[in-house]
Amino acid sequence: MSIEQRYRDVLDRIEAAAARVDRGVGDITLVSVTKTWPAETVLTAQQLGMRHFGENRAEELMEKRPIVEAALGPDSNITWHAIGALQSRKTNMIADSADVFHALERPKIAHRLSRRLVENGRAETGPLTVFIEVNLSGEESKSGLDCSDWESSAEQRQALRQLAELVQQLPGLAPRGLMTMAPWNVEDEVVRSVFRRARLLAYWLQEAAPDGHWAGLSMGMTDDFEIAIEEGATHVRVGRAIFGPRH
Ligand SMILES: *Cc1c(COP(=O)(O)O)cnc(C)c1O
């Protein structure tokens, strides 16, 4: 199958999943995950109508973005999403190259990003939109702020609220919502319950930190984006279903 065929198929599946729960596709952003694929693949995807691209490594984002911009000119209208966990020594790359960051999990990273966003002028011109990544499954291998027991743990809720309020206060950062990943190799119903709990947690946070916009939900990948949409995802991050197996 070509990228075009796969992309059409993904759009159809997004629309069908949204229709099942009476949602419109207008509030669902498809982030096409181009990690491991060259800048030429991004250009092909752009010609097919894709406008949101996701990269999980800061270096890859830094490398591809200028190539794509050089090819398309200044008005490419592309939004670049950094979706992967971030080490503190790479915060400058993300503050310089990403429009949206999906994986904030620590106050230290928020401070470092903000400092750079003031330095590079973006605190004035265009902030970095931020999702806080939460770990709801408690799996050690998963990144994200531990919210595995948030319904009964006041401590976990407090840590999330504090990070959210920090994002609201720091210059250059714009709150958008929560991001989560479902555990691997589990039944659909387990995936669904993780996504549902993320939605309830976002509701809770929106009330607990009302001055920020926290209602966004970045969840759902190739294997589970339809369940995520049924459970309220506003951003799905899809790679293999569009571009094929990664090499
Ligand atoms: C790779 C990646 C995706 C996309 O995964 P696919 O299974 O290819 O759809 C989504 N989110 C994150 C954080 C990723 O690293």
Side-chain angles (χ1 to χ4, degrees):
M1 272 217 283
S2 67
I3 293 177
E4 177 164 17
Q5 286 166 318
R6 289 204 200 86
Y7 174 51
R8 301 281 160 229
D9 181 56
V10 167
L11 290 181
D12 287 346
R13 288 166 62 193
I14 288 173
E15 198 175 328
R20 284 197 287 279
V21 290
D22 273 329
R23 299 182 62 196
V25 290
D27 67 336
I28 299 166
T29 300
L30 170 60
V31 178
S32 302
V33 177
T34 43
K35 67 185 184 198
T36 76
W37 297 100
E40 292 74 54
T41 306
V42 179
L43 292 171
T44 303
Q46 192 271 349
Q47 285 191 330
L48 294 171
M50 294 176 238
R51 292 293 179 272
H52 291 264
F53 294 99
E55 292 287 340
N56 72 329
R57 289 178 55 241
E59 293 86 348
E60 249 185 281
L61 175 57
M62 287 249 297
E63 195 183 296
K64 282 178 216 177
R65 183 172 183 153
I67 300 175
V68 170
E69 283 178 353
L72 296 178
D75 302 319
S76 66
N77 203 17
I78 283 179
T79 303
W80 292 91
H81 298 252
I83 61 177
L86 182 58
Q87 296 159 288
S88 52
R89 64 194 166 83
K90 297 185 182 166
T91 45
N92 287 357
M93 296 188 210
I94 295 302
D96 292 346
S97 295
D99 301 304
V100 185
F101 176 44
H102 290 241
L104 182 68
E105 55 178 327
R106 287 186 287 149
K108 180 182 173 189
I109 300 284
H111 282 290
R112 292 183 65 114
L113 285 170
S114 175
R115 197 179 316 143
R116 179 64 167 199
L117 289 158
V118 169
E119 263 171 31
N120 71 13
R122 284 185 62 191
E124 302 279 328
T125 57
L128 178 68
T129 299
V130 171
F131 287 85
I132 294 176
E133 182 176 356
V134 292
N135 178 343
L136 292 168
S137 63
E139 277 181 298
E140 298 264 336
S141 60
K142 288 270 181 298
S143 45
L145 184 68
D146 183 9
C147 291
S148 55
D149 195 23
W150 73 266
E151 293 90 342
S152 50
S153 168
E155 218 171 294
Q156 290 187 357
R157 292 196 302 272
Q158 177 68 0
L160 176 60
R161 187 215 299 241
Q162 277 173 358
L163 183 54
E165 286 173 347
L166 182 65
V167 171
Q168 287 168 212
Q169 284 156 15
L170 287 172
L173 301 177
R176 184 70 180 81
L178 300 183
M179 184 275 236
T180 201
M181 296 213 251
W184 315 118
N185 293 322
V186 296
E187 314 247 302
D188 282 1
E189 282 319 300
V190 178
V191 171
R192 186 178 296 281
S193 84
V194 165
F195 290 157
R196 184 167 301 164
R197 291 176 64 221
R199 169 161 45 95
L200 295 172
L201 183 55
Y203 286 162
W204 175 83
L205 182 59
Q206 187 63 77
E207 303 238 304
D211 295 338
H213 181 335
W214 293 108
L217 280 171
S218 170
M219 57 190 195
M221 310 171 25
T222 288
D223 293 330
D224 52 24
F225 68 88
E226 289 150 299
I227 300 174
I229 288 169
E230 289 171 5
E231 295 302 329
T234 60
H235 293 65
V236 290
R237 311 175 310 270
V238 180
R240 289 167 301 137
I242 299 172
F243 300 106
R246 282 184 283 276
H247 35 220

